[in-house]
Amino acid sequence: MKVGLQIKANLENVTNLRPEGDDFRWYMKFQCSNCQEISASFQYISLMETAELKGGRGSANMVSKCKLCSRENSVAIIPESLTPYNSEDSNKFTTVVKFDCRGMNPVEFSPRVGFACDAVDTSSKFEVDLTENEWVDYDEKNQESVGVYEFESKFITIK
């Protein structure tokens, strides 16, 4: 099943909010499709990390065995689906990445470090930490505050 992560935020004087680099870690909680068990802690997946699937069925960015039913499940990031969140998306849910999920689905996303964004009117670039679901800084070139506020996320099933 393909699942999309949608985010919504209020962007102040910034655009192009995106994960920075192939080593970006997407922290999520997962639910086993077989027994409905939800992981107790956040697990991360990254484009830089891959694991082989049993039986030579290819690879995924994360392969995990359910603690309750012992079923092997996997999730792969669809690299070409990565899309920045721009100023015109502000306050609207927009899909920023898609996952190919086999046997488990993400149920909660935890934004953390590793995001980046650009100033709307200058060439300023910023490193963004969304651990607190918001981020504030100051654009020296434009002499104005910049920020990401009211960060929300949800998962949708992609047909």
Side-chain angles (χ1 to χ4, degrees), residues 15-155:
T15 191
N16 199 24
L17 178 65
R18 65 202 178 274
E20 190 77 338
D22 286 346
D23 60 345
F24 180 84
R25 293 179 172 186
W26 300 92
Y27 285 89
M28 296 175 277
K29 285 187 179 179
F30 294 93
Q31 181 175 35
C32 177
S33 302
N34 187 48
C35 69
Q36 309 308 312
E37 178 75 4
I38 296 176
S39 57
S41 58
F42 285 97
Q43 299 168 301
Y44 74 83
I45 62 172
S46 166
L47 280 172
M48 296 287 285
E49 297 179 23
T50 58
E52 294 299 315
L53 298 172
K54 279 187 181 170
R57 297 185 328 239
S59 64
N61 298 109
M62 183 175 117
V63 177
S64 175
K65 187 179 266 191
C66 178
K67 287 187 169 112
L68 191 63
C69 71
S70 299
R71 180 174 166 175
E72 183 182 87
N73 303 317
S74 66
V75 178
I77 301 167
I78 302 171
E80 60 275 10
S81 73
L82 289 163
T83 308
Y85 189 80
N86 293 307
S87 54
E88 55 270 12
D89 300 321
S90 199
N91 293 312
K92 292 185 279 191
F93 276 106
T94 303
T95 302
V96 294
V97 65
K98 295 175 186 169
F99 304 99
D100 187 2
C101 301
R102 309 284 168 120
M104 66 180 176
N105 293 316
V107 292
E108 189 178 343
F109 171 63
S110 175
R112 301 192 182 180
V113 297
F115 285 95
C117 67
D118 305 323
V120 171
D121 297 324
T122 66
S123 59
S124 298
K125 297 191 181 316
F126 304 96
E127 292 180 11
V128 179
D129 177 350
L130 287 171
T131 305
E132 302 294 325
N133 286 328
E134 66 178 38
W135 164 84
V136 180
D137 206 338
Y138 189 76
D139 183 358
E140 298 288 341
K141 291 180 186 172
N142 239 8
Q143 297 186 344
E144 64 186 6
S145 63
V146 292
V148 177
Y149 308 99
E150 302 162 17
F151 184 92
E152 295 178 51
S153 64
K154 68 179 181 178
F155 293 99

